[in-house]
Structures are given as structure tokens and as C-alpha cells.
Amino acid sequence: MLFEQIATGGCQSYLVGCEATLSAVLIDPEISQIDRYRALAARDGLHIRYIVDTHTHADHFSAAKPMGELLGVPVVMHSASPAPHAGLRLDDDDLLIVGELRIRALHTPGHTRDSMCLVVEDRVFTGDTLLIGGTGRTDLPTGDPDQLYDSLFGKLLLLDPALRIYPAHDYKGRGCSTLGAEIADNPRLQKRDRAAFTQMMRELSLAAPTHMTEALRTNMTGGKTVGQLLAEAAAQVPHIGMAELSRRLADRPNDLLVLDVREAGAFLAGHIPGARHLPRGQLELRVNDEIPDPTMRIVTCCEFGKISTLAAATLRQLGFMRATALDGGMKTWRDGGYPVEA
């Protein structure tokens, strides 16, 4: 077996390949690592056949849909998954055949309704059902402590104790453990009585994951994250540096317009001298009246450089082909000592 563990902060994803055929599966990919996954597969000559999410993640943005589209391969999830982009849905004990590897799915609800673990040879990928020194939480949408108890004590922990476990998250750099070690030492697994275990899970006081709403929204539906929208917009437009813009404005060109897309209060408090105001929320409706010349060079600006990038991309889509975004925003402009007009 060819194996690569990829850590992104506390998120763990896995590239698992068949040495004989070079077929591979990618498990629990994270969206910021797409280029890295492709590079690792290319390095080892692997052909990724499946992209698997062990459950609907609430604490990071899954790369399953974009990776599936990029490679033209199925996204694999449990049959209970709400994700419309899951093209192959597994039930309990279904096998994924990856070259000579046989990957067995175990439905292990509790952390989420669609949680599953994947058993292959000497290891099991436990998603967030079983963590090193812990278990998945049950207080997020579709979580259920009774189901988690059954998944752990009635299924997962009955497997060979020698199996190595690889969870979807570990924040202490431990990499992996074994089922036997977790049975012996995992504090949550010492609560072997159902009532004691479920009471413990219900009484955990845990902070909500960062970006939980956005993660659930995108992972459940295949929608785009804000980061994706910004990255796509940034790839469609050029940018101009502050020093270059300041130098050009000093020449008072007739064909250069600075378009401030912030709200009125922020614009009135201070803007680039000579800038015209057109809030991003009104851009499409008012742009024809405000900018009648589509050949004009437009530099969009906002407070931090993100909304202006989206605005410049929209202008280009509308036919203003010389639209450019300021590299940075008004905060950086002010901090840089450039002139401000109130």
C-alpha cells in the first residue's frame, strides 16, 4: 500500500494507493491543499479513482467536490449524506475496489448521521467517530450520543485491536494510534455504560467550530466558500499597487477612474482624492449611468481589498475590460501615508 498523510492544521487527509496498479483514493481532502494532493499523486504516479468524505464536515471546507470535478472521478459519501455532489453513496459493508485494495465502509453515525469509517488492510480511517484520545462531538447538527455509543461499542471497537486508526482530525501531531491503545487509554471509552457515556457527551461544553455555518453550508450543498469566490475573482482581474496608482493619479489622467465601492459613511470619512463613489451593492444597477465610457481604466477600491476584487471581476463581466483592483484597501492606503480626501 502507498500511503500519505497530509495535515492542514488539525485536519488530516489521506492519499491511499495500490502499489501494484497505482490506483488511489483520497480521503477527507481539505480545500486549501488541492494542488498538494495533485502533486503528491503525480510524484508517485498515482491515478486518483475516488474522492471520499467520511462525513459532512462542520469544521473545515471539503475539497471533495472541486477535486471530483477536476479529476472527473466520483465523490464518495455514505448514503445518508445530504450532499448532492456525492456521485457514489455507500451503505454498511459496501466495498470500494481500488486496484488490489478493498476498502470496507462501516456506517458509524453519532458525530453526524452520515458518518462512516473505512477499513483497509491494517488500518481504519475513523473520520470524526473516533479520535486519538477522544471521540467526535455529538452536539452539532445530526449528532446523537446514543448513536455514537452504538457505533463505537457495538461496531468499531469490536474490530481487531491491532488496527491502526487514522482520524480526520488531530491537533497534537500524534498522527495515528491503534484501536487497542484507544480502548485501553482513551478517556471517553472508559465510560462503557451507555447511560454514563451519553451523559458525558451531553455535558461536554465545547465551543462551536470556526466557520461552522459556512462549512456546513458549502459541504452539505456543494456551494462555494467566500474564499473560493475571492480566489476566482482575483484570477480574473489584474491589480495595481498603491505607489503606482499614486504616481498615475499625480499625472491627472483623463482615462483613469478610481471607483470606491464602500458604503457611503466610509467613503465620506475619507477616500482617495478624486475617487467616485458607487457602493458594491448598487454596482450592476447604476454602473451604466455612473460610467458611460466602457473603455475607461477603472481601479476599484474598498477597505481591505476583497470587495474591490469582486467588484472589478463584475465590471469585467459587464464589459468594462480595463477594470483593475487596488492591491490592498483604504486601510493600507492610509497606513502607507498616501493622501486622503474627506
Side-chain angles (χ1 to χ4, degrees), residues 278 283-293 318 320:
L278 179 53
L283 183 65
E284 291 87 344
L285 299 178
R286 290 176 49 192
V287 68
N288 293 328
D289 297 327
E290 297 289 339
I291 313 175
D293 182 0
L318 292 172
F320 295 88

Side-chain angles (χ1 to χ4, degrees), residues 5-339:
Q5 183 172 12
I6 304 99
T8 310
C11 300
Q12 306 292 326
S13 49
Y14 305 93
L15 183 62
V16 182
C18 169
E19 195 167 3
T21 66
L22 299 182
S23 295
V25 58
L26 180 60
I27 300 171
D28 287 330
E30 200 272 342
I31 201 162
S32 69
Q33 300 285 2
I34 288 177
D35 288 339
R36 187 177 179 189
Y37 300 135
R38 297 181 69 192
L40 289 171
R43 181 197 67 187
D44 295 333
L46 295 175
H47 185 106
I48 298 175
R49 299 290 185 181
Y50 300 104
I51 312 293
V52 183
D53 262 341
T54 55
H55 62 289
T56 302
H57 296 283
D59 48 3
H60 74 260
F61 302 117
S62 169
K65 183 185 178 188
M67 282 292 291
E69 292 173 346
L70 187 66
L71 300 177
V73 300
V75 172
V76 181
M77 297 189 74
H78 186 262
S79 61
S81 167
H85 53 275
L88 180 58
R89 297 172 182 271
L90 302 181
D91 282 308
D92 210 24
D93 287 325
D94 280 350
L95 293 177
L96 274 184
I97 297 178
V98 181
E100 295 180 358
L101 298 177
R102 299 296 185 268
I103 302 175
R104 181 162 67 103
L106 298 179
H107 185 207
T108 52
H111 174 60
T112 63
R113 184 183 299 123
D114 61 345
S115 289
M116 63 179 179
C117 298
L118 304 171
V119 182
V120 52
E121 295 190 353
D122 64 344
R123 62 200 64 194
V124 53
F125 299 94
T126 57
D128 280 357
T129 298
L130 178 62
L131 307 177
I132 300 173
T135 66
R137 60 197 295 170
T138 58
D139 59 332
L140 299 180
T142 78
D144 185 295
D146 276 294
Q147 288 186 340
L148 183 61
Y149 179 87
D150 290 333
S151 294
L152 288 169
F153 293 98
K155 184 175 292 186
L156 184 58
L157 301 181
L158 301 180
L159 300 176
D160 184 352
L163 282 174
R164 303 172 73 178
I165 72 159
Y166 290 91
H169 294 90
D170 182 72
Y171 295 92
K172 297 183 179 179
R174 292 167 292 191
C176 73
S177 179
T178 66
L179 277 180
E182 295 306 308
I183 292 170
D185 300 326
N186 190 317
R188 293 190 188 175
L189 300 186
Q190 306 317 303
K191 303 282 188 179
R192 293 182 170 87
D193 175 73
R194 176 187 292 273
F197 179 85
T198 56
Q199 180 181 357
M200 171 188 66
M201 296 304 298
R202 290 190 175 100
E203 291 177 351
L204 293 176
S205 181
L206 302 172
T210 305
H211 309 304
M212 182 184 76
T213 300
E214 186 180 13
L216 286 173
R217 171 181 63 78
T218 56
N219 294 337
M220 290 176 68
T221 66
K224 293 182 178 180
T225 68
V226 174
Q228 283 178 284
L229 291 176
L230 288 169
E232 291 172 3
Q236 297 171 21
V237 300
H239 291 71
I240 186 169
M242 295 191 179
E244 289 73 19
L245 178 60
S246 179
R247 177 175 53 81
R248 287 182 175 275
L249 289 175
D251 295 335
R252 299 182 179 275
N254 292 325
D255 67 339
L256 176 62
L257 168 66
V258 176
L259 190 67
D260 194 315
V261 296
R262 296 175 297 163
E263 294 303 313
F267 177 79
L268 293 172
H271 52 267
I272 296 173
R276 186 176 300 179
H277 180 231
L278 179 53
R280 174 64 186 90
Q282 301 176 28
L283 183 65
E284 291 87 344
L285 299 178
R286 290 176 49 192
V287 68
N288 293 328
D289 297 327
E290 297 289 339
I291 313 175
D293 182 0
T295 67
M296 179 170 286
R297 185 174 186 182
I298 304 167
V299 179
T300 59
C301 69
C302 65
E303 189 64 23
F304 300 108
K306 296 181 178 180
I307 302 301
S308 57
T309 301
L310 295 171
T314 298
L315 287 170
R316 288 205 165 220
Q317 292 169 358
L318 292 172
F320 295 88
M321 302 312 296
R322 298 182 70 196
T324 303
L326 181 63
D327 184 16
M330 281 302 301
K331 182 181 186 306
T332 308
W333 180 272
R334 291 190 299 267
D335 291 347
Y338 294 102

